[in-house]
Amino acid sequence: MDMIPEQSGVPPVTAEEWEFLELSQALTGFTTAELATTGQTAEYCATVLRRLGQAPYRRLLAALAAAGGEPDGLPEGPEREAARAVCGLWYLGVWPGLRGDPSAPSVAVSGEAYAAGLIWRTFGTRAPGTARPGYGSWGAEPEEE
């Protein structure tokens, strides 16, 4: 298995995972390093390949390249749907399934994926139930905004 050495803040990953990180960077707007720090790269890459299949995944990569790397340039159809699913996976930690394809239903990847969802970073907080506010925090009055 070919490994891509550490670069730009991304720990060593396989060539396939690096390709997935680059795709995900274009789709999510987060850098490859930011995505890698979630610790979900290998699991998400495997989930996408398992749920989409190799050929549709390759068509998504080709469609995005043809669109100049701009997700808004993806035409309506299966590749745009696949791109939407990849974004859902990164933001929510859930494979949202593909519209019109009952063979690829929605599935929560893992508890770690929920906690690592980009949606929490976007809001500048942590996933509810994954971090404690600290001992005695219930005794302090809420801060006024």
Side-chain angles (χ1 to χ4, degrees), residues 77-145:
E79 287 75 29
R80 182 177 278 269
E81 183 64 16
R84 182 192 65 80
V86 171
C87 287
L89 181 61
W90 278 107
Y91 275 88
L92 304 174
V94 172
W95 175 257
L98 300 172
R99 291 183 206 151
D101 184 358
S103 68
S106 175
V107 61
V109 174
S110 67
E112 292 80 17
Y114 163 74
L118 297 178
I119 191 169
W120 310 119
R121 290 185 186 199
T122 302
F123 291 144
T125 188
R126 294 181 179 210
T130 61
R132 300 184 318 181
Y135 179 77
S137 64
W138 55 86
E141 292 186 26
E143 295 179 20
E144 291 188 33
E145 295 182 27

Side-chain angles (χ1 to χ4, degrees), residues 24-133:
S24 298
Q25 177 178 263
L27 296 177
T28 65
F30 282 81
T31 67
T32 55
E34 290 170 323
L35 295 170
T37 61
T38 67
Q40 299 300 307
T41 304
E43 188 166 10
Y44 285 177
C45 182
T47 297
V48 168
L49 290 173
R50 189 172 50 252
R51 296 287 170 169
L52 272 183
Q54 191 67 241
Y57 177 68
R58 293 283 156 213
R59 285 194 294 270
L60 170 60
L61 291 170
L64 187 62
E70 294 295 327
D72 289 341
L74 289 171
E76 288 297 328
E79 287 75 29
R80 182 177 278 269
E81 183 64 16
R84 182 192 65 80
V86 171
C87 287
L89 181 61
W90 278 107
Y91 275 88
L92 304 174
V94 172
W95 175 257
L98 300 172
R99 291 183 206 151
D101 184 358
S103 68
S106 175
V107 61
V109 174
S110 67
E112 292 80 17
Y114 163 74
L118 297 178
I119 191 169
W120 310 119
R121 290 185 186 199
T122 302
F123 291 144
T125 188
R126 294 181 179 210
T130 61
R132 300 184 318 181

